[in-house]
Amino acid sequence: MNHSNIVGGSTAKRVMNCPGSVALVQKMPPQPSNKYADEGTLLHNVIAEIVMTDKHPEEFLHTKYNDEILTLDLIDNKLVPALAALDVIDPNKEMEIEAETRVGFGDLLPGVFGSTDLIGRIGSRAVVLDWKFGDGVAVEVEENPQLMFYAAAAMRTEETKWAFKDVEEIEMVIVQPPQVKRWVTTPARIAQFEKDLVKAVKLAQQPNAELKTGDHCRWCAAKPICPQMTGAVDRALKTQVEAIDVQTLGAYLVNADMLEDWIKDLRALAHQILDSGASVPGYKLVAKRGTRQWVDEFEAIEWLQRQNVDPFKSETISPAQAEKELKKRKLALPDDLVVSVSSGTTLASADDPRPAVLQISSHLRGAFFKLQ
Ligand code: SF4
């Protein structure tokens, strides 16, 4: 999918809050696609064809996008609930629809465009609908900048402007199976949004456009090079090193241990409350990622062997496992067979029985300066 390198639907919130991010993001290499993005594109492509052709979802079984394949699972858990949501919004099937359309602002904002999932019209109401197939962050619909961007752009695009002609209301819909979120707004609100967008794009074109942090930073590709981010880290480190004496730092570390325990207990308590069926505002319990297991291990071994697949793997046991076995035979593990390799350093209190690690790099640096 082609994206505007200035601002599109999914980046509207960031650009309107942080105009300086446009120039920074343009310096970043294109972000590689991933399994989840490809799955989302596959589902968007298929659902657009379904709503425009009235074909049955199963006719698209095994459709591919990059390495992602449309499975029955995706049809049942994503496409069918998303299509059912459409029936709720348009129960009498009277909505005129335009799906998967590139919309933009023409000469008002050259190079600014996006791709709408669905633009529709029922009576005197225009509909702007976005499918969200990811399982991650729940997206709110009210004052959603992505949907307002699509509405504003669609009002200026030949293929979609018919849906907004003389409407009194514009309904924004986010379908994130199994949820459907709806918000009705007015053409006047979208006109105001467009003004704000134009202002942000103009600010973004200034050489020292403002960089402003906020929750819009979450999806910003420029985070690794953003002075607001690196500056914040540097400043925090500098303050700690220069302004905090080591006595205070030691005291802070004790507090950090306590704080870690407090956070752990707080999470455990919330889990316990939710587990008991009560609610904690803003939180819920979800299943951990499942790991596949054999239903019947012996049956699986037999089946794999029939397919000429060796179901067993052999690997060297660890020194600890060897020691356990040798102990049963009253034998000791020779020292010269084993070496202990540390994976790095960790912070410990001064009374920890382990010896302190010699900081070789700083000692070498010190010696080097003496030699100069
Ligand atoms: S990380 Fe945040 S502050 Fe920095 S450019 Fe991106 S949006 Fe702006």
Side-chain angles (χ1 to χ4, degrees):
M1 204 185 301
N2 198 2
H3 295 284
S4 165
N5 71 349
I6 303 168
V7 56
S10 60
T11 53
K13 182 176 176 183
R14 166 175 56 79
V15 174
M16 293 174 80
N17 283 284
C18 176
S21 66
V22 174
L24 276 190
V25 171
Q26 285 173 356
K27 289 184 189 162
M28 299 300 289
Q31 297 215 294
S33 191
N34 59 52
K35 179 185 176 346
Y36 303 103
D38 287 349
E39 187 181 286
T41 306
L42 171 68
L43 290 165
H44 274 89
N45 292 347
V46 171
I47 204 162
E49 217 173 314
I50 292 172
V51 295
M52 292 308 286
T53 60
D54 265 348
K55 283 187 182 170
H56 195 273
E58 284 178 14
E59 292 179 54
F60 295 88
L61 188 65
H62 300 142
T63 301
K64 272 190 87 179
Y65 181 80
N66 288 346
D67 288 339
E68 297 309 306
I69 298 170
L70 188 70
T71 59
L72 269 179
D73 191 44
L74 284 175
I75 291 177
D76 290 346
N77 294 317
K78 301 284 184 180
L79 290 181
V80 171
L83 290 164
L86 209 51
D87 292 338
V88 175
I89 293 149
D90 180 26
N92 303 323
K93 303 229 176 292
E94 53 186 336
M95 180 159 63
E96 292 173 70
I97 287 172
E98 190 65 53
E100 204 66 41
T101 315
R102 179 173 154 142
V103 292
F105 294 83
D107 293 341
L108 180 68
L109 290 172
V112 174
F113 60 88
S115 176
T116 55
D117 289 348
L118 188 148
I119 298 290
R121 169 122 183 192
I122 311 174
S124 61
R125 177 179 287 193
V127 176
V128 179
L129 182 146
D130 202 50
W131 314 106
K132 301 266 180 226
F133 290 115
D135 294 323
V137 185
V139 183
E140 288 311 318
V141 68
E142 201 162 322
E143 289 286 325
N144 182 297
Q146 181 171 11
L147 289 177
M148 288 198 277
F149 177 99
Y150 292 146
M155 288 166 100
R156 290 189 176 271
T157 302
E158 279 310 315
E159 292 86 341
T160 45
K161 58 165 57 157
W162 56 267
F164 301 85
K165 191 167 183 314
D166 301 328
V167 291
E168 288 149 23
E169 295 174 328
I170 301 171
E171 179 167 21
M172 308 291 189
V173 186
I174 287 180
V175 179
Q176 192 169 20
Q179 292 194 31
V180 183
K181 293 177 184 166
R182 307 168 72 172
W183 174 57
V184 178
T185 187
T186 60
R189 173 68 191 98
I190 301 305
Q192 182 55 49
F193 173 87
E194 187 182 79
K195 276 189 194 148
D196 295 341
L197 182 74
V198 171
K199 201 167 137 198
V201 172
K202 288 206 170 119
L203 285 173
Q205 286 157 353
Q206 306 296 316
N208 290 314
E210 188 191 11
L211 293 169
K212 201 163 146 218
T213 53
D215 64 350
H216 50 272
C217 296
R218 184 171 189 176
W219 308 112
C220 177
K223 270 203 294 290
I225 60 162
C226 170
Q228 286 289 341
M229 290 284 157
T230 55
V233 173
D234 291 348
R235 273 195 302 279
L237 282 175
K238 209 161 179 275
T239 312
Q240 277 175 336
V241 171
E242 286 178 3
I244 298 174
D245 64 86
V246 286
Q247 295 294 337
T248 315
L249 188 61
Y252 279 1
L253 285 169
V254 174
N255 290 345
D257 288 342
M258 282 193 297
L259 196 57
E260 272 166 8
D261 286 344
W262 180 80
I263 292 168
K264 207 168 100 207
D265 290 353
L266 181 73
R267 291 212 166 103
L269 180 64
H271 196 123
Q272 193 184 354
I273 291 171
L274 288 166
D275 223 7
S276 72
S279 64
V280 176
Y283 284 84
K284 63 182 177 183
L285 291 184
V286 295
K288 286 184 179 171
R289 192 167 163 267
T291 50
R292 296 189 303 157
Q293 297 172 356
W294 299 118
V295 175
D296 181 327
E297 196 171 329
F298 293 109
E299 200 182 312
I301 290 170
E302 274 180 21
W303 186 87
L304 287 168
Q305 284 173 330
R306 283 201 301 278
Q307 316 309 315
N308 292 325
V309 175
D310 184 358
F312 304 106
K313 66 170 184 181
S314 63
E315 57 183 40
T316 313
I317 58 175
S318 68
Q321 289 166 329
E323 229 158 21
K324 204 168 153 196
E325 287 304 314
L326 287 167
K327 207 169 168 186
K328 290 180 201 160
R329 296 166 177 75
K330 299 199 185 323
L331 292 169
L333 187 63
D335 284 347
D336 56 358
L337 284 184
V338 181
V339 64
S340 180
V341 182
S342 168
S343 56
T345 52
T346 184
L347 197 64
S349 59
D351 55 5
D352 189 283
R354 288 167 291 180
V357 171
L358 179 69
Q359 289 307 98
I360 293 175
S361 58
S362 59
H363 283 258
L364 280 179
R365 227 179 7 250
F368 181 70
F369 282 126
K370 279 184 196 158
L371 283 173
Q372 280 185 325

